Amino acid sequence: MTVRENVSTKIAISDVILDESIYPRENIDHKRVSIFAENIRDGFEFDPIEVQVHPEKPSQYRILDGANRWTAHKEVGLTRIQVIVKELKEIDPLLYSAKMAIGPKPLTEKETRTTARRVFQNNPRLTASEIGRLIGRSRQTIANYIADLKAVRQIKLDQKIWRMNRLGIPQERIAMRLGETRDIIRNHLGKMSMLTKSPNTDLSQGLTIPQVAAKHGWTEPMLWSLVLEGKSDQNRFKALGWGLRTWDLWNFNDCDPRFGDDWPGRIPAQMIAHILFYFSNPNDLIFDPMAGGGVTADTCLALGRRCWSLDMEDRAELRPEIEPCFWDTKRKNWEDTILAGREKPDLIIFDPPYFQKKADSYGENSIARMSRREYLNFLDSFFRFLKNSTRKTTRLALINSDWRDFQSCPALKEETQNAILLTDYYKILEGAGWELTHIIQAPLSSERFNAIMVSAMQEKKILGVTSRYILLLEQKAVK
Ligand SMILES: C[S@@+](CC[C@H](N)C(=O)[O-])C[C@H]1O[C@@H](n2cnc3c(N)ncnc32)[C@H](O)[C@@H]1O
């Protein structure tokens, strides 16, 4: 156990709180509190209580040991209390509190059970014997207390491994992302047929995909990946209810809610599916460097493509397949990313935040907050990096819109030197060694301008933007 102990010091009692989430007992022991209060009035000095700096409110301290003494101090009307501020390195604070609590008075059976379960939920990697040792119970007792939680965790882990493996993420990266050893990942992968058995049975008995997803805790895209296995792209489109456009204007009214999360700047899965249909083959490796809500990965599952995804937002529990990566504009060589390995993507789907648009919805350091110059410089470096770290045959699909400062501004008065138009992107791409093969129009819905806005825009001759394009590029041959 690594505990760093600071010397005891007196602090304001109002800065100390009892945080239920790390308190192992059901209630404060009021009998003990009144005895302690009497002792304080008689001039008896208690040992300092133990606290830790509150992880979310750094001006406050939460109690690790001494809740009854702290309550007694308050009851007597004292305003300051002697504390020892502990620094618990890797130790779970609840486990530490429980260990301290059993000294003066053992935890009840119910308190032990609840503590063991809460500790396991906070840190599922702790073994039953580790927990048992600290709260004074046998390994077997703790194992019984947490058996159901352990089983649920195993299933959840299996599902994450299945999904990541299905998307073609190498085992060593799955292990690193999930904090497990490669042996554990291999072991789980060996038992995957068991995982798919019950969902498959339910599907074959006529349950719908949403019903099976809810029953077994699978995501819908995972189930689509299962049921559409071996089908052609065209049959997959049919099964998913997506009309297949055979021309270069792809307009979709809505984002298909089954694919991707609700995310700022979310794009329709149908659009990704069309890119995959025309510009990739089954089992190809797709790379999405700014994956956001995960619509590319989900659509790849449905269309039988592999997919590596990255984003600066880390959502390890919900989206383990989106690996955390911040494209730091100061570095620009990005040598240690997943593109450094031997395997290279067949197609990159790049949907960056548009210049300034929705800047407040993304993380503080997102490229959406940059100045026009910085934004274009970033893209220039990024397109060069993508070219240099992929294969000659890797294609790029860039999704973007014209950006014009049209808000409250008549078309004739727009500051055109501040705009970023399709041609600006193209100039950078060309300079970075990418050659345009297709321009596809995939407009945003015009419903974003409501009737009142439209009439104000007409009045002032404001020309809004609903254009959105997909630029398809291949790498220029070196002459
Ligand atoms: C337009 S969103 C992608 C939306 C996604 N295609 C979807 O449909 O859900 C762009 C993403 O880029 C990410 N991003 C912005 N700047 C980044 C950076 N410097 N490094 C990594 N990710 C970044 C944001 O977190 C955001 O999720």
Side-chain angles (χ1 to χ4, degrees), residues 261 263-267 288-296 311-313 325-328 351-353 362-363 365-367 378:
D261 306 325
W263 196 260
R266 178 185 191 173
I267 46 178
D288 184 344
M290 293 196 184
V295 71
T296 306
D311 201 279
M312 62 187 274
E313 300 295 338
C325 169
F326 175 57
W327 301 104
D328 188 344
D351 174 31
Y362 301 119
N365 300 317
S366 114
I367 61 165
F378 170 85

Side-chain angles (χ1 to χ4, degrees), residues 287-348:
F287 175 55
D288 184 344
M290 293 196 184
V295 71
T296 306
D298 280 356
T299 315
C300 282
L301 282 172
L303 285 202
R305 268 65 168 174
R306 295 173 298 140
C307 181
W308 294 353
S309 312
L310 301 175
D311 201 279
M312 62 187 274
E313 300 295 338
D314 183 5
R315 296 184 296 145
E317 195 45 43
L318 196 67
R319 287 281 180 184
E321 72 274 33
I322 305 181
E323 298 168 71
C325 169
F326 175 57
W327 301 104
D328 188 344
T329 47
K330 289 183 205 93
R331 285 187 41 223
K332 296 193 176 171
N333 52 358
W334 298 302
E335 266 147 12
D336 53 356
T337 67
I338 56 177
L339 286 190
R342 209 153 33 91
E343 175 141 36
K344 305 291 184 192
D346 299 288
L347 172 67
I348 302 161

Side-chain angles (χ1 to χ4, degrees), residues 103-150:
K105 185 180 164 206
L107 298 179
T108 64
E109 224 34 60
K110 192 171 168 203
E111 285 168 347
T112 313
R113 183 172 186 275
T114 317
T115 302
R117 290 173 70 79
R118 280 160 65 192
V119 165
F120 180 78
Q121 274 166 321
N122 289 347
N123 185 356
R125 264 176 221 105
L126 284 173
T127 62
S129 20
E130 283 168 329
I131 301 175
R133 206 167 44 242
L134 286 165
I135 55 177
R137 290 293 191 283
S138 71
R139 185 196 62 77
Q140 191 52 52
T141 308
I142 303 296
N144 292 342
Y145 285 161
I146 60 173
D148 58 327
L149 298 179
K150 228 175 154 168

Side-chain angles (χ1 to χ4, degrees), residues 73-110:
H73 274 68
K74 286 204 299 182
E75 250 184 49
V76 172
L78 296 176
T79 53
R80 297 179 75 73
I81 188 165
Q82 196 82 27
V83 299
I84 293 176
V85 183
K86 295 269 178 187
E87 251 186 61
L88 307 180
K89 288 281 171 189
E90 318 82 53
I91 307 165
D92 185 284
L94 173 59
L95 207 47
Y96 181 82
S97 300
K99 179 175 171 270
M100 298 307 287
I102 55 179
K105 185 180 164 206
L107 298 179
T108 64
E109 224 34 60
K110 192 171 168 203

